[in-house]
Amino acid sequence: MKGHHSAATATTSAAPVPAEPTATEPTATKPADQAPPGVSDDDGPDATASADPSAPTATPDAPNDHNMPGMTAQPAYGPNLDPGESDTVSPAVKGIAPQQSFNPGPDVSTHHEFQANCYMSHHAANDPIVFPGMTGASHLHTFMGSSTTDADTTTTSLQSGKTSCITPGDKSGYWHPSVLNGDKLVTTAYKQTIYYKSGVSDYRTVQAFPRGLRYVVGSPTQTREEFENHPGTVEGWECGDSADNFEIPDHCAEGSYLNIRMQAPSCWDGVHLDSADHKSHMAYPVYENYRKVCPSSHPVAVPMVEFKMAFNVSGDMSKVHLSSGTDWSWHYDFFNGWDAPTLSALVKHCINGGLQCDPRGFDLYKPERGAALNQNYELAS
């Protein structure tokens, strides 16, 4: 294994992106192009090419970890807000107490999830959470979801454009450091998979995200050890039959995809929609009596977002690197832009209902339970 890949100066011109998708996929089957070769839609390690396709104080002097050599210094805390919008919720949202005796029974899925399937939308050196209002201040990011996401993004502006997700009601902003091969942007024509799961044992207690919630998972300045031991890290970098790598492999089997997964914290403090470090208002579940629960400081269980990204690059990987720096600088941002009734329906039907759903909220293994959305991935009128 070589040392870490160094970041090169990258152009911000985007590679061709597929046209806005139309919602014409079959009702009960997963789309043929949902995942690239070697990336399945279930929860297992599947990077082989042979597989089927306490409340935080929002103070400006709170520490941050996005300041890198040669990068614009992170500004004092001041999130992009719509007129009259606050970065806090009042009254505070209360968590739902889990039941220690809860036993879902053998017929309930172990996943408690649904998917968002989104194409890459655009690529730009913007980050409206870390560098709000500062166009070009960040490293290059690859965006999915809302087509309007830029340095000035607010909750309302997210919902003003189109979406690259197949669910029209999902106009959230999703972004991560771009992957480059030398100075060439690495993209994929396939839909990327973003899971919404239960991070706690009593999945019935999970509530939908509040409007305008935003956060960062991971850090561009984290060390290799921090990345490897991060509570959201799943398997590190994978390709072909190579897995559990915390550096991008030197070589990937021809035709395979470079894959990475990372899970977000799924416990919210119930008050803050952002925080000075863009993390402190969120927390990972803790173990209590052998069950995962939200800590008392962050009592509200919300969906656990998991990025499962696949990049179309293989063979010689010696020049493949992240725009954010080292191979272990992988991280991502989430800015909630869901249509509230659509998100609530998916959370209630799939996560609270103990199902393993596709983007329609349909569990292929329990068809008798129906779907949360119609064939156009929308709520029935």
Side-chain angles (χ1 to χ4, degrees):
M1 181 75 70
K2 61 180 170 297
H4 71 81
H5 298 62
S6 60
T9 302
T11 175
T12 58
S13 59
V17 178
E20 185 87 32
T22 56
T24 57
E25 274 106 354
T27 300
T29 59
K30 295 177 181 178
D33 68 338
Q34 181 158 307
V39 183
S40 72
D41 301 315
D42 60 23
D43 225 7
D46 42 30
T48 57
S50 60
D52 291 329
S54 80
T57 302
T59 53
D61 58 350
N64 71 75
D65 54 10
H66 275 72
N67 290 342
M68 299 170 62
M71 180 183 286
T72 303
Q74 184 177 340
Y77 177 70
N80 288 338
L81 298 173
D82 292 311
E85 184 183 20
S86 173
D87 62 348
T88 60
V89 173
S90 181
V93 176
K94 295 183 179 181
I96 301 172
Q99 294 184 9
Q100 289 292 331
S101 61
F102 173 59
N103 185 350
D107 62 330
V108 179
S109 167
T110 59
H111 292 75
H112 327 120
E113 66 183 37
F114 65 90
Q115 297 179 20
N117 289 166
C118 306
Y119 293 97
M120 293 179 177
S121 171
H122 56 286
H123 314 270
N126 293 324
D127 189 325
I129 296 179
V130 178
F131 296 103
M134 301 174 65
T135 301
S138 76
H139 50 258
L140 188 65
H141 284 108
T142 294
F143 292 84
M144 298 169 290
S146 176
S147 62
T148 65
T149 311
D150 58 20
D152 300 314
T153 287
T154 65
T155 306
T156 297
S157 72
L158 275 178
Q159 300 176 322
S160 67
K162 297 182 179 181
T163 180
S164 68
C165 302
I166 65 173
T167 305
D170 185 7
K171 294 185 178 181
S172 299
Y174 306 96
W175 61 97
H176 58 74
S178 297
V179 175
L180 300 107
N181 189 358
D183 61 358
K184 182 180 179 182
L185 193 63
V186 175
T187 61
T188 179
Y190 291 99
K191 294 186 286 288
Q192 300 283 41
T193 299
I194 300 167
Y195 287 106
Y196 282 68
K197 302 182 176 184
S198 174
V200 294
S201 296
D202 191 345
Y203 49 82
R204 303 170 304 168
T205 66
V206 176
Q207 303 180 52
F209 290 126
R211 184 179 188 273
L213 181 72
R214 63 203 79 176
Y215 56 75
V216 178
V217 183
S219 168
T221 62
Q222 64 202 359
T223 66
R224 185 187 187 281
E225 182 178 13
E226 288 171 336
F227 174 52
E228 184 172 354
N229 296 315
H230 191 281
T233 296
V234 182
E235 285 116 358
W237 297 102
E238 302 178 294
C239 64
D241 59 0
S242 178
D244 297 308
N245 302 296
F246 299 100
E247 299 175 23
I248 295 173
D250 295 329
H251 185 273
C252 288
E254 293 290 345
S256 65
Y257 276 65
L258 179 66
N259 306 320
I260 191 165
R261 296 165 60 190
M262 198 171 199
Q263 298 174 340
S266 56
C267 298
W268 174 47
D269 69 8
V271 176
H272 297 84
L273 300 175
D274 195 3
S275 51
D277 62 359
H278 315 296
K279 297 179 181 181
S280 297
H281 57 306
M282 303 295 296
Y284 284 90
V286 296
Y287 277 97
E288 184 178 285
N289 297 324
Y290 305 102
R291 297 168 66 85
K292 283 187 175 182
V293 299
C294 284
S296 59
S297 60
H298 296 73
V300 184
V302 293
M304 179 186 72
V305 170
E306 178 183 320
F307 272 34
K308 187 176 183 180
M309 303 291 102
F311 301 98
N312 188 9
V313 60
S314 60
D316 179 10
M317 305 287 284
S318 62
K319 295 182 180 179
V320 177
H321 64 276
L322 294 174
S323 61
S324 52
T326 64
D327 296 352
W328 47 85
S329 67
W330 176 259
H331 60 285
Y332 64 85
D333 299 49
F334 169 72
F335 195 144
N336 180 31
W338 277 90
D339 169 68
T342 302
L343 178 60
S344 293
L346 287 164
V347 170
K348 182 177 181 179
H349 184 70
C350 300
I351 298 180
N352 301 154
L355 299 176
Q356 183 180 0
C357 294
D358 64 13
R360 285 189 58 236
F362 180 81
D363 187 336
L364 186 64
Y365 305 102
K366 294 183 175 62
E368 71 279 3
R369 297 282 296 275
L373 307 179
N374 64 23
Q375 293 185 14
N376 294 321
Y377 302 89
E378 296 175 317
L379 286 171
S381 57

